[in-house]
């Protein structure tokens, strides 16, 4: 590229960078939430596979990291396991670290280090993968979390997390999201306690209804308990009667902690009826003499 073109490109990049709002690591995150955590290190260059070494900065060392547009990673020193969030993204529109956490009254910016000798008794590991029994996991869209503190029975002071269900399952339709919870057991896989839900249910897909061979003309699935209105698709060789309703109401019925997308759309007493189609031309294959 010519000199003026290169200069213009560099100027555009500078203008874009200047328009981004930097996040204050010290004021927004380290000082209020992480400075009291031992063996916890804060990294201010996003996208790097961080390893704690002699040059790493402890989160308790405040006042030394300048505002920037990168998010912040946290790691633990040797012999310790990280619990809580491992990454806090920077919202370059507002200049706030971890907007999804700071804007939620229930959630909290939390990271800490647990000695490896204490992990089995005090940590739930692999919470980013759905538990086999309950199908529950931590919602990774809210924040990246692999391990969390195990909350003993009758504990009143604990960190809540946004919860999610495994693919193809979800909380019931009447349950508002986010659903909050915490890990309350790790003896036989992770067990979770939820605040306002009884767990995960099969979602319904358009391919499964209580009418044999009949599917719904829609793409998105539904949560258990949801009512949808949809056109229906009859099996090959059948069609809805002329003048019948265009859409019908179906309720999604899913089994708790069942299989992905195995819920059934049920039309109850107001079901459509698929009738055999009449041949397009019943005399097409007859010879002229056979019509006499």
């Amino acid at each position: 590229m010519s000199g003026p073109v290169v200069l213009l490109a560099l100027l555009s990049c500078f203008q874009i960078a200047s328009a981004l709002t930097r996040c204050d690591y010290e004021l927004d995150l380290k000082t209020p939430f992480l400075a009291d955590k031992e063996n916890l290190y804060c990294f201010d260059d996003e996208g790097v596979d961080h390893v704690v070494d002699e040059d790493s900065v402890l989160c308790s060392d405040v006042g030394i990291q300048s505002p920037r547009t990168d998010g912040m990673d946290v790691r633990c020193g040797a012999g310790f396991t990280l619990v809580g969030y491992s990454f806090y993204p920077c919202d370059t529109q507002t200049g706030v670290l971890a907007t999804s956490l700071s804007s939620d009254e229930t959630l909290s910016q939390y990271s800490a280090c647990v000695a490896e000798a204490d992990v089995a008794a005090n940590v739930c590991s692999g919470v980013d993968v759905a538990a086999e029994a309950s199908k529950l996991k931590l919602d990774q869209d809210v924040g990246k979390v692999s391990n969390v503190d195990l909350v003993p029975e009758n504990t009143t002071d604990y960190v809540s997390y946004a919860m999610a269900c495994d693919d193809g399952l979800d909380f019931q339709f009447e349950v508002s999201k986010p659903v909050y919870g915490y890990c309350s057991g790790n003896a036989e896989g992770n067990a979770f306690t939820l605040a306002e839900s009884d767990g995960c249910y099969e979602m319904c897909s358009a391919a499964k209804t209580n009418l044999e061979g009949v599917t719904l003309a829609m793409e998105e699935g539904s949560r258990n308990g949801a009512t949808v209105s949809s056109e229906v698709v009859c099996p090959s060789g059948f069609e809805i009667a002329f003048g019948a309703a265009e859409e019908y109401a179906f309720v999604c019925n899913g089994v708790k902690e069942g299989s992905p997308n195995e819920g059934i759309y049920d039309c109850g007493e107001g079901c459509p009826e698929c009738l055999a189609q009449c041949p397009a031309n019943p005399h097409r294959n007859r010879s002229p003499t056979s019509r006499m």
Side-chain angles (χ1 to χ4, degrees):
M1 290 189 295
S2 63
V5 175
V6 172
L7 180 60
L8 181 60
L10 291 174
L11 180 60
S12 298
C13 291
F14 175 77
Q15 290 174 334
I16 293 174
S18 300
L20 301 178
T21 304
R22 298 182 180 185
C23 291
D24 191 328
Y25 288 26
E26 305 290 343
L27 181 64
D28 291 343
L29 191 60
K30 289 176 63 177
T31 299
F33 300 108
L34 305 180
D36 61 339
K37 304 299 189 296
E38 297 181 355
N39 301 297
L40 185 66
Y41 292 82
C42 290
F43 297 86
D44 56 9
D45 45 349
E46 182 180 335
V48 177
D49 187 13
H50 297 295
V51 176
V52 175
D53 56 28
E54 63 274 11
D55 297 322
S56 300
V57 177
L58 282 164
C59 297
S60 56
D61 293 338
V62 298
I64 61 176
Q65 288 177 307
S66 59
R68 60 186 60 208
T69 56
D70 277 355
M72 193 182 80
D73 288 301
V74 294
R75 300 288 184 270
C76 291
F80 292 85
T81 294
L82 177 67
V83 293
Y85 300 100
S86 61
F87 176 66
Y88 296 91
C90 173
D91 186 335
T92 55
Q93 298 296 317
T94 63
V96 176
L97 279 166
T99 304
S100 59
L101 300 178
S102 60
S103 62
D104 191 302
E105 294 182 356
T106 301
L107 302 178
S108 176
Q109 297 91 324
Y110 174 78
S111 301
C113 298
V114 176
E116 291 182 354
D118 299 326
V119 167
N122 298 295
V123 174
C124 296
S125 302
V127 295
D128 52 339
V129 177
E132 183 175 354
S134 68
K135 315 299 183 183
L136 285 164
K137 60 182 177 179
L138 266 65
D139 190 344
Q140 300 297 301
D141 290 336
V142 174
K144 302 302 180 185
V145 185
S146 296
N147 313 301
V148 297
D149 294 302
L150 172 62
V151 179
E153 188 177 0
N154 299 321
T155 299
T156 57
D157 184 17
Y158 55 83
V159 177
S160 291
Y161 294 91
M163 304 299 299
C165 295
D166 203 2
D167 294 342
L169 295 97
D170 208 338
F171 303 111
Q172 296 201 67
F173 177 71
E174 66 268 18
V175 174
S176 299
K177 296 183 181 181
V179 171
Y180 303 108
Y182 56 85
C183 188
S184 51
N186 65 358
E188 298 179 359
N190 294 326
F192 298 94
T193 297
L194 303 178
E196 297 179 354
S197 171
D198 65 343
C200 299
Y201 288 76
E202 295 172 336
M203 293 188 67
C204 294
S205 70
K208 294 182 178 295
T209 72
N210 63 318
L211 304 176
E212 185 177 356
V214 176
T215 61
L216 303 188
M218 54 186 292
E219 296 182 1
E220 295 185 358
S222 300
R223 293 197 270 169
N224 178 61
T227 299
V228 300
S229 293
S230 174
E231 296 181 7
V232 298
V233 180
C234 292
S236 178
F238 292 80
E239 63 182 355
I240 296 295
F242 178 78
E246 293 185 0
E247 294 186 345
Y248 295 84
F250 288 81
V251 178
C252 174
N253 290 331
V255 175
K256 184 179 179 181
E257 298 166 357
S259 301
N261 299 312
E262 286 295 319
I264 302 295
Y265 280 116
D266 193 320
C267 50
E269 298 181 356
C271 296
E273 184 178 4
C274 289
L275 305 176
Q277 295 175 333
C278 294
N281 185 350
H283 304 296
R284 182 175 181 180
N285 297 321
R286 295 185 180 183
S287 65
T289 56
S290 67
R291 300 176 188 173
M292 298 177 61

